[in-house]
Every structure is written in structure tokens, then in C-alpha cells.
Amino acid sequence: MPKSVPENYTVGEFMESIWSQGRNFRISTEYLNIASEYLKNTPQYKKRFGNIDPMIVTPWWRKGDNASAKIFLSFGATEAKPPEDSD
């Protein structure tokens, strides 16, 4: 089930908690490059992955090498985007 960032966490702390469980971190947004740069500049991302670009996924192309941090193109209604393995 998709989760939001708890009030007492930063996004970086939330990402680290997801990765420490062996899970992938996913974002759905219309602002792919802004989200990618934001993730890459968090201390937790830099410590874990260095300069590796998050994977950006659209229906037409993919770029980036880090499947542990995926950014999906959203066409609105982001709150309605379930994980791929949900029914």
C-alpha cells in the first residue's frame, strides 16, 4: 500500500527507512527532473547511491540506473496510483 511521509520524518529519513527494509522507493509526479534532482541531493540518497541517477519511468522511455529509487510520470490523480503488484 502506498505510504506518505510521516510528519516527524524528512523525505530522506523516510527513503532510508524504506531502503533499510530492502524495498524500493517510488514517486509519482509530473515534475520528473525536479524530483530526480531533489532525491539526488538528500544526504541519505548521496550516502547510499552517490551520483547514480534515480530511474525515471514514462510510458515512452526510461532513464537513470537506480531501480531502488524510481520516479514515475503522473498524469494527475497521483493519490490513485497503486503499486504494480496490487489487485
Side-chain angles (χ1 to χ4, degrees):
M1 167 173 259
K3 294 183 178 184
S4 59
V5 178
E7 281 187 42
N8 57 343
Y9 271 24
T10 66
V11 173
E13 291 168 337
F14 186 60
M15 288 188 301
E16 185 57 42
S17 74
I18 297 294
W19 293 321
S20 67
Q21 296 172 34
R23 298 171 43 211
N24 296 332
F25 187 77
R26 300 167 39 123
I27 295 176
S28 292
T29 181
E30 294 179 39
Y31 305 102
L32 302 171
N33 293 322
I34 292 171
S36 178
E37 288 301 315
Y38 180 84
L39 289 182
K40 285 174 51 177
N41 286 312
T42 61
Q44 292 83 357
Y45 187 95
K46 285 182 179 184
K47 180 179 178 183
R48 194 174 271 264
F49 304 111
N51 291 323
I52 299 172
D53 289 328
M55 183 177 287
I56 296 176
V57 180
T58 77
W60 308 281
W61 51 265
R62 288 178 185 226
K63 77 175 188 177
D65 297 317
N66 187 1
S68 294
K70 289 184 181 176
I71 303 168
F72 292 86
L73 176 62
S74 172
F75 296 99
T78 301
E79 68 279 2
K81 299 248 188 242
E84 293 135 351
D85 58 356
S86 67
D87 293 330

